Amino acid sequence: MTGAQARYVVGRIAQALVIVVLTYTLVFAILYLLPGDPIASAVNDPQNPLPQDQVHVVLAYYNLDRSGLEQYLIAAGRALHGDFGYSLTTGQPVARMFGQALPHTASIAALAFLVAVVVAFGISVLATHGPTRGVRAIARAVPSVTLSVPSFLLALVVVQVFAFRLGWFSPVRDSGFKAVLWPALVLGVVVAPHVTQVFVQGVDRTQQMPFVLVLRAQGRSGYAIFLRVVKNAVLPTLTLFSLTAGELLAGSVIVEVIFNKNGIGQLTQDAVRGQDTPVILLVVLFVSTVFVTINLLTDLVYPWIDPRISLRQRTRDRRGSGRGGPQPASGDVTSSSGEREDERKMASAGVDHGA
Amino acid sequence: MSGTARPPAIDVRGLSLSYRDRRTHERRRVLDGVDLTLEAGTTHALVGQSGSGKSTLALAVTGLLPGNAAVEAGTIALQGKVPSRRELVVARRHVLGFVPQDPLSSLDPLQRVGRQLASLLRSRDRSLSRAAAKQRAVELLDQVEIERSAEKYDSYPHQLSGGQLQRVLIAMAISGDPDVLIADEPTSALDVTVQKVILDLLLRLRSSLGLAMLLITHDLALAGERSDAITVLEHGVVRDSGPTTDVLAAPSAAYTRRLLADVPALAPDRFRETGASSPVCERAGDDDPILTVRGLTKSYHDAAGGPNRVLRGVDLTVRRGSTHAIVGESGSGKTTIARILASLTPYDTGEVRFDGAPAAGGGIPIAGPRRLQLISQNPLAVLDPRMTVRQLLEEPLLIHTELTRRERRAEVTALLDRLDLPAELSGRRPKELSGGQRQRVAVGRAIVLAPEVLVLDEPTSALDVSVQANIVELLMDLKARHGLTYVFISHDLGLVRQVSDTVTVLSRGQVVESGLTHEVLARPTHHYTRTLVDSIPGLPHTTRKVLR
């Protein structure tokens, strides 16, 4: 990695940190400083299940008599040390509740991601390279169909058929891998269609590109051409996959409820319903960190696949000027260019003139 | 060419072919009873405009037709034998070399060019080791005269110029030691000087390797210069064919004759004869200038923040009522000048005078839209796709004049007539027009306000030669009728010679030569101008005389 690349990576990491801090601050401001004081009202609510002796502890902990800024600084300082406060509904440390929920969601998410990759790739290959026109047409229709199937419906059907009818797994007891597999299957199938559609489009577009015709004119094998096409088509899919991974890690309430998994989705739902602000805050912090990290990783992987994108914010190219260049990724990544003059021609030819 | 008993490299007999429209499922005939014989060891040019079916014929020969194409009749024999599907795949590896049209997108952008070449070699010969393949690939790069070939082996396609990429593709095409090269418009995406170099290379390789070459081109002048035999195709029908000298000296078809007349390089005096160019312009353009440019500089900041000097002190004088051409290759700064004149881009230093008055600067246009208009290369990028022809032509009137609705309609109707556009087109949108019609609409938008100066930035380079001739005719007619002044930017010296009175030759942001067009082009003093002039594909002198 060159110096410029290292600077770019460090810069991007700093940017990611800023986003996380800003998200935390914004959500803190919304939850704590809005009129109505959710903590006090939640704790003092007669219906609140929290025992009276813990109420005092919680109230003292949150320093509700201090100013908003002070509360924020105290909370942020504690968060840095891994102390995210206490739940307003259970009185437990938020970090512990979160730590209990995370493994459920993470295992489902990881497996669901795998399912989504396999399903998306499989359907795409059938849709673009299926043996007959009929197979290709059916495969092409699959994403639209699965896209319009709500996850709760699929989840209920799976529970009904495979748990109750066939008894392959128990929807109540935790039966190890099987208990993770089924919700992961459902989630994977539900998130796959977007990716599939984008990938199919990518393959279609790539196959129209002249270099594929040249490969065919050279008498290359279908498999060799397919590999080149896939690599060229995969970039937009990658961005979508990273968003999907973030979504999966944020937890799915519906699937977790139906499969009786106490994951992040379940936790979030309970927290929102019970106005359990410290829990909400941690969930938001977690989700934003996950998204920012995955996005960062995707951007860093891009140049590794596509050499036209470089990890430098500035290219040392004396001829380069306001060039467009191929930029399938984010706008931060600049296209490097060596000796190509034609790009400028394209750039200038593409500019409109105001008649 | 020697009378050996070798069978023809390619022998197409009575080929009829149609495409099925994917939406309407209607069959459309693209080739109709085409005969073409490429003798071993010769160059045969297949000439036609876009849509003539010439690329389809190339695909048919290589067996790469898309799924919706159907051969209805006829045969294609390779080296005396009609190949089966399997044999055709083998032939693509060992007999046919294919040089594509657009080198910039014809290599996998994600793989180093050398590796692409090496993997092609290894796909033919599995026993070849990686090291041996690499060595052979570098040799091939040397053979196509790529400088510092070992270094270029590790380049990605986006790091090479169009000419270098086309060399790599030629190296790929000859790597299988083929007998036939099929070159589909191998140079039309390249700069004019690069075109010549690449064609020279192709023909040198062809003769040293003893190949037959099917050269597909839209450029009859180029075909005349580079081929032994010519087949002229129009709408899938062969209009003319035979030895090149015969076809050009005595074209049997009216279509060929028209095509010959439309190639600017072959008819340099076409518009002088029609009287469109006024005799006053024979003088140099120093008196009564409408545009003067002195010491114009412009730098863009490149991505590294360093200045990229696009114009380095350009001087220009454009005489009122004349056509002044600016020629140069891509990157020479000609489009930047056009944009500066149209006040779309600010300049750094220098002076621009329009009609005697110095440009005020500070965002005030050099000349207002009612006095100067720009016409650009790609009309589709300039015309709002949602507007109809009538709306497009009416819009400038709406913005810049106080005309009533009825007056505007009358004006547009008159304009359609002047543009030679049928009135029934007025309801169409740009997508529903042909390339020539679109450029007519763009011209119409520019002249509807009756400006004095038109800056034309490569106005015809996206068009077929016959369509180009029509547009140029329209432009010359408008100029004569309304006394317009043209700043005509082009890379095509043949066209420039046809239309312009004075010329400025630009190279890397600097004027290398300027003066009266016929003098500069007949006796270029600067070596760059000479290279440009030499690159105009023209015919041998004798045939050129026949055409007059």
Side-chain angles (χ1 to χ4, degrees), chain A residues 216 219-220 228 315 317 320 353, chain B residues 92-93 108 119 302 304 374:
Chain A
R216 290 174 59 210
R220 304 292 276 270
R228 306 309 316 154
T315 49
D317 175 13
H353 82 81
Chain B
R92 290 209 286 268
R93 277 184 215 148
D108 182 350
S119 90
D302 60 21
L374 176 74

